[in-house]
Amino acid sequence: MKRGIAGVLVGLLIAAVAVAGLGAPIRIGICKIVEHPALDANERGIIDALTAAGYIEGKDVEYILASAQGDPNNAIPIAQDFQAKGVTLVVAISTPMALAAAEVFEGTGVPVVFSAVTDPVAAGLVLDDDDPSQNGNVTGVSDLIDVAGDLALLKELSSSIRRIGIVYNPGEANSARLTAIAEAAAPGLGLSIVKAIADTSANVPAAAQSLVGRVDAFYVTTDNTVVSAIDAVIAAAEEGNVPFLMADPTSLRFGPVLATGFDYYKQGLLAGDIVLQILTGKKPNQIPVVYQTGAEIHLNLDAAAHIGLEFPASLIDRATGIFFGGASWLRSGD
Amino acid sequence: MLDVLGVEKRFRSGADEVLALSGIDLHLDRGDFLTVIGSNGAGKSTLLHVICGVLLPTTGRVRLGGIDVTCTPAYRRARRISRIVQDPMKGTAPSMTVAENLALASKRRGRTLRRAISRRRRAAFVERLSDLGVDLTARLDDPVSTLSGGERQALAVSMATLSRPDLLLLDEHTAALDPKNAERIVELTRAFVEEEALTTIMVTHNMDQAIELGNRLLMMHKGQIVHEVRDEVKRQTRVCDLVDLFSRRHVVDDELLLDPT
Amino acid sequence: MGSILIHAAEQGFAYGIAALGVFITFRILRFPDLTVDGSFVTGAAIASSLLTSMGVDPFLTLAAAFGAGCIAGMVTGFLHTRLGITDLLAGVLSMIMLYSINLRIMGKPSISLLRVATLSDVVERALSPLGAVAILAVLAGMTLLIKFVLDAFFRTEFGLALRATGDNEAMIVAQGVNTKSMKVFGLALSNGLVALSGALVAQYSGFADVGMGVGTIVTGLAAVIVGGSLIRSRRIGWMTASVLVGSLVYRVAVMFALRYGYLIGFQASDLKLVTSLIVIVALVIPTVRERLMRKVGSC
């Protein structure tokens, strides 16, 4: 009898402790460098992911939201404020915010999950994106361009596309890296890369021209030098009668035949997923950096018609946006 | 010491043009004390400005001690020319203390990183102020903005006495003061000029002053020198003579143009 | 609570050096210099580039940053004194030019110093017994040292002439001072300090960002004005002290706003509003004080 009562009491005690533990909402600090549709969507995705997994705001989890309002000087005070408020996890959207959070929470054991960071390794946030074991308390989602995906897209356009021309500035770290990734991924897709170097905007036209007749398609990533002289690349592509893919959907109307970009809400969901993994016991240094795939596809039917190209139906089905008849059309329901 | 040769100064051009100075020829020997009188707009201050470099002449040349300074910037000429202006507010630095102002005037070139107000310098200031009879020794650390107009002007004169300029320019420097203070400043000035035998030009509205002080007198009207007396003739000149000259100027302008003597 | 105050004080001193720079141009020279929004980043850019690419000693990067800031100030000075461009415009032009130059120095919009030995790391290691106040002690020490050196400088013959240039330019010209050179010197000194501050802040924050200079003039002025209304003295030693006090008060106010602001519905996005409110309050305090004293009279 005594054992029975003792057992029930212990059981009740454990239950009480468990309930008490469950009772205190987890504090999560979410900060971003500026209010911006992409970053706001990112934030919403994170919160939605947690809500969908059963973490109800106010009950299970408490969010402290902050924005640096475009001033990097606010990043550190915000992170320090999070620390003073005793957050158990930090989500930092954008590179400067992630850097500040990583600096403030270094060695504290509080996990820092970043989102919308283009190159986490170059930024020094993590040591290795594949092997997270040395990354300390930092991990997250990167919006680095899915180069392999873009190349596959070009291949899908037409079976005759083999040689991809890339105009780039090796002086831009991001651009150089993306070009290297392209060169590594191409063979696996049965493609080859032909490079043309333009170290200043003034040299872009010459570089683009040099590729005419030597490539079946042009590809431009987020290279500031080339993007500032993008007309020259568009002209070269038209001259060679070949398609041109640009990794930036907002410039579709200016001439690229197709463009790709990321849905930041989906990126938020990916980041939220990482947060869930950590909340259920995984450590940041057990989670490798996630590179978003599945970029949005935007098609410029006018430009395509110009070079006599017809998009395969499979592509049109997956397109998020279409530029046709001089106007942009977005697929509804997104 | 000072040569002003054929100086002309025009402001603006075309229909708005103002001929502030015209045909000014002036020669000062070392030790001359020249007083300058004239109606408003006669060009008295403009002449001083051209001499010290605040304004550049349209034509003509200015020579100081034999050296042509016509195009030398004002700050460089200031190393040899001291100036006391009419507005007491303009001659001193308001947010700085009496001692700091004196320190600023202590050196006219080559300011170093040495402490500006050393104990020795401070004592020197106190001594200088009491020598001059200027009652500011108790207010060395007060900002100049708390001084009255008379006190500020006394300070300006004291500052001028800290170096021995080649030329001293006084631009109606007692005009903004009440009679008692004006009297004091005039005395201070006279003592300083006499002691150092300074070459001086004093612009004034006060005809008594003009007659009493200095060995030379100039009368200006509409940018030109119209009358000049010196030494013995100047000593004999009376205020009524000057007043006479003035009224003749104003009434018979044309006559003078035809007969420039 | 203690840690927030320590952090606020750290930033109060680090940014306080930039405030001293703004004080020199704004209060002493009476020259509204907007170059600082650019030169602050220049300091951060130089320091972080040197640290990441050449592993230069953190203290040396501060000297390099100071030098770069001086050059930036001299450019503004040249535009104003030699080309006759008005003060505000000259500063704006320099600031705009610096934006491109800073990007060139950095090579990218943002440089991380997380994996590099910065001043913070050196200090934490060297002064580990001081624990949480180690960095505060070093920042405070550096800032106070700079303040006292400035005070001594402004009491020299040269420093006095610089002060007079802003106080009554015509008068000091008549005392033989080349005020054009003085202005260039003042701008150089000021921007040198601002750049030094930028280099310190970058190392403190663990990163340099090309946008971190925006608003430097505003936060600098906030410190000068807030400090000036708390300590109303015209003596140079007290004036520089008031600038630092203003900087500290400002940072503490921001920290409190962040921490407790949510109680009155304040969000992190209202930080800029808070800055302006603090400055307005500071500007109004002297007037209110005066009115309260006058209540004894008839009005």
Side-chain angles (χ1 to χ4, degrees), chain A residues 31 48 55 60 62 114 123 141 157 167 180 257 283 310:
Chain A
C31 48
D48 286 354
Y55 285 84
D60 311 297
E62 187 194 318
F114 58 78
V141 182
L157 270 184
V167 181
V257 165
K283 294 244 179 298
E310 255 196 58

Side-chain angles (χ1 to χ4, degrees), chain C residues 57-74:
Chain C
D57 172 68
F59 283 97
L60 281 181
T61 64
L62 295 182
F66 181 83
C70 285
I71 296 176
M74 288 198 275

Side-chain angles (χ1 to χ4, degrees), chain C residues 14 21 23 39 64 74 91 116 151 168 171 179-180 182 186 190 238 254 295:
Chain C
F23 166 76
S39 49
M74 288 198 275
V116 158
D151 290 344
N168 188 345
M171 171 254 188
T179 50
K180 284 188 176 170
M182 277 295 163
S190 161
W238 283 113
V254 167
K295 280 240 179 238

Side-chain angles (χ1 to χ4, degrees), chain C residues 123-134:
Chain C
V123 166
E124 269 170 350
R125 235 178 299 133
L127 295 177
S128 44
L130 287 176
V133 293

Side-chain angles (χ1 to χ4, degrees), chain A residues 35 66-67 69 71-78 80-81 83-85 95-96 99-100 102-103 122-127, chain C residues 4 7 11 15 40 108 110 112 114-115 201 204-207 209 211-212 214 255 258-259 262 268-272:
Chain A
E35 275 100 22
S67 155
Q69 292 169 263
D71 186 354
N73 290 301
N74 291 332
I76 288 280
I78 286 175
Q80 287 169 339
D81 181 57
Q83 190 178 41
K85 289 186 172 138
T95 309
L99 288 170
E103 171 72 24
L125 285 167
V126 296
L127 271 175
Chain C
I4 315 190
H7 288 316
Q11 286 149 38
Y15 285 100
F40 186 77
K108 45 187 167 149
S110 179
S112 161
L114 283 178
R115 315 229 165 229
V201 168
Y204 171 81
S205 309
F207 69 95
D209 187 292
M212 68 195 278
V214 176
M255 267 292 181
L258 264 177
R259 178 131 175 86
Y262 69 92
S269 46
D270 297 330
L271 268 174
K272 299 222 157 126

